[in-house]
């Protein structure tokens, strides 16, 4: 009886030990990744490494603070979301046949050509040059704001949350470095919108948001209800508020979004991992990835 009790006790202790044991933390695979400093990115870095989305360098480093170009980001998206090929499936005016700044011998030509169709014009991923042709700017360094705007057009807008003008205003007012302006007079609104440089004087197309943060413009009705009548503001407000609410790209604890800060390699893999998990949570991941 004593032996049976002792045996049972040992089994219980072993089981409790396995239940209460702390979860193992992801371990670094690179010489320049400090596990404590990059604890927030470790799992994402290893996941991307395991799936050949983004690996380190031959010298054993990952270079987590290195910046990311639009071409590099596109290749990561192409690899992780290997069923997501909007431009390959596009027809008619929505299909883009090429970009003058992405020749066929460019290293990421295949990936860029497969993804970006006409609908990406709204998120600023593609823009129009003075000749009226779409350009991609593959070597442009991605900032937090430009990536936020680009994601507006990705994944059939799965990342965008439906919000009223008032809800967007409330979300944006909590950010200390995203300027917001309100207009009660249509004439003042039109004058401001047409002269602050957000649209090209020659083509009328939205200018690149990599280099400047344009104020988000709200129109206010007599009853106080806010609405948006500016494409740049509408896209940017929807994108920023959605990225915040979905936890994909967020402000820091002090309320700074840091819009013009370049996205680092560690940040990018973490953002893509968050998108991957969000699509999985929404039960739509199978539409975009086999990973």
């Amino acid at each position: 009886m004593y032996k049976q009790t002792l045996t049972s006790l040992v089994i219980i202790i072993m089981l409790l030990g396995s239940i209460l044991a702390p979860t193992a933390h992801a371990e670094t695979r690179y010489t320049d990744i400090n596990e404590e400093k990059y604890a927030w990115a470790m799992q994402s870095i290893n996941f991307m490494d395991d799936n050949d989305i983004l690996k380190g360098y031959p010298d054993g480093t990952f270079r987590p603070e290195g910046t990311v170009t639009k071409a590099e980001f596109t290749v990561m998206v192409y690899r992780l979301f290997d069923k997501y090929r909007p431009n390959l499936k596009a027809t008619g005016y929505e299909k883009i046949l090429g970009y003058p700044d992405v020749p066929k011998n460019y290293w990421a030509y295949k990936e860029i050509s497969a993804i970006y169709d006409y609908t990406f014009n709204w998120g600023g991923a593609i823009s129009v040059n003075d000749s009226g042709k779409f350009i991609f700017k593959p070597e442009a360094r991605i900032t937090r704001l430009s990536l936020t705007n680009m994601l507006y057009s990705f994944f059939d807008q799965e990342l965008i949350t439906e919000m009223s003008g008032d809800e967007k205003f409330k979300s944006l007012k909590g950010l200390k470095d995203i300027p917001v302006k309100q207009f009660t007079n249509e004439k003042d609104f039109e004058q401001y919108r047409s002269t602050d440089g957000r649209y090209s004087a020659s083509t009328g197309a939205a200018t690149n948001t990599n280099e400047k943060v344009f104020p988000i413009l709200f129109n206010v009705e007599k009853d106080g209800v806010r609405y948006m009548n500016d494409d740049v503001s509408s896209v940017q407000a929807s994108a920023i508020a959605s990225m915040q609410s979905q936890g994909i790209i967020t402000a820091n604890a002090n309320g700074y979004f840091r819009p013009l800060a370049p996205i680092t390699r560690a940040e990018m893999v973490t953002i893509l991992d968050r998108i991957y998990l969000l699509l999985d949570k929404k039960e739509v991941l199978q539409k975009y990835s086999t990973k």
Side-chain angles (χ1 to χ4, degrees):
M1 181 67 178
Y2 172 77
K3 290 183 179 180
Q4 289 179 339
T5 302
L6 183 60
T7 302
S8 299
L9 183 59
V10 170
I11 293 172
I12 291 171
I13 291 172
M14 291 174 63
L15 289 173
L16 284 174
S18 64
I19 293 171
L20 299 176
T23 302
H25 294 288
E27 294 182 357
T28 183
R29 301 174 183 178
Y30 299 101
T31 59
D32 58 347
I33 297 288
N34 180 286
E35 292 183 21
E36 184 175 346
K37 180 179 178 181
Y38 291 101
W40 56 274
M42 288 295 300
Q43 285 189 325
S44 299
I45 291 172
N46 290 347
F47 174 75
M48 298 301 168
D49 190 359
D50 290 338
N51 287 279
D52 296 323
I53 310 303
L54 182 65
K55 288 186 171 291
Y57 294 87
D59 63 358
T61 63
F62 185 78
R63 302 177 196 175
E65 297 303 315
T67 56
V68 179
T69 67
K70 288 177 67 180
E72 290 169 337
F73 162 72
T74 301
V75 172
M76 292 182 218
V77 171
Y78 184 93
R79 292 172 177 172
L80 179 59
F81 302 102
D82 55 348
K83 296 170 68 176
Y84 185 57
R85 306 289 184 262
N87 198 46
L88 286 185
K89 299 175 182 178
T91 58
Y93 78 92
E94 288 195 351
K95 190 175 188 68
I96 293 181
L97 301 178
Y99 305 93
D101 58 347
V102 185
K104 289 186 177 180
N105 62 350
Y106 185 71
W107 71 276
Y109 171 83
K110 177 182 70 174
E111 292 85 354
I112 293 169
S113 300
I115 291 177
Y116 299 93
D117 64 13
Y118 176 82
T119 64
F120 285 86
N121 182 40
W122 293 106
I126 57 178
S127 55
V128 178
N129 64 14
D130 291 339
S131 301
K133 294 183 178 180
F134 281 119
I135 55 174
F136 187 73
K137 299 183 179 179
E139 296 302 312
R141 298 287 166 179
I142 296 182
T143 65
R144 289 169 59 83
L145 182 58
S146 63
L147 179 60
T148 298
N149 287 337
M150 286 170 65
L151 291 177
Y152 175 87
S153 300
F154 273 81
F155 309 112
D156 307 312
Q157 289 202 310
E158 295 281 4
L159 309 181
I160 302 301
T161 305
E162 287 293 329
M163 295 182 185
S164 67
D166 287 337
E167 289 171 330
K168 292 176 185 176
F169 178 80
K170 182 178 180 181
S171 175
L172 296 169
K173 285 297 288 183
L175 304 176
K176 296 178 180 178
D177 50 0
I178 299 295
V180 174
K181 286 185 176 291
Q182 299 186 80
F183 295 87
T184 56
N185 182 293
E186 190 71 21
K187 182 179 179 181
D188 292 340
F189 162 74
E190 288 292 349
Q191 182 177 2
Y192 186 92
R193 181 176 68 164
S194 62
T195 57
D196 78 335
R198 66 185 58 217
Y199 295 106
S200 168
S202 58
T203 66
T207 55
N208 197 303
T209 56
N210 270 330
E211 301 165 1
K212 183 177 179 180
V213 182
F214 292 101
I216 296 176
L217 310 181
F218 285 88
N219 300 78
V220 185
E221 296 180 338
K222 291 182 179 180
D223 59 2
V225 174
R226 297 177 182 88
Y227 67 97
M228 312 191 79
N229 195 24
D230 171 59
D231 289 338
V232 171
S233 295
S234 181
V235 169
Q236 194 159 284
S238 295
I240 294 173
S242 294
M243 295 305 110
Q244 280 276 122
S245 66
Q246 304 274 32
I248 296 172
I249 305 175
T250 61
N252 63 23
N254 295 319
Y256 289 94
F257 191 77
R258 300 180 296 118
L260 297 184
I263 295 282
T264 66
R265 283 165 56 88
E267 288 174 329
M268 186 62 83
V269 295
T270 303
I271 289 167
L272 289 176
D273 195 16
R274 289 171 179 173
I275 292 172
Y276 178 92
L277 293 173
L278 178 63
L279 295 177
D280 189 33
K281 181 180 178 181
K282 289 187 172 185
E283 299 183 347
V284 296
L285 180 62
Q286 66 276 7
K287 288 173 53 179
Y288 306 107
S289 178
T290 62
K291 303 295 183 182

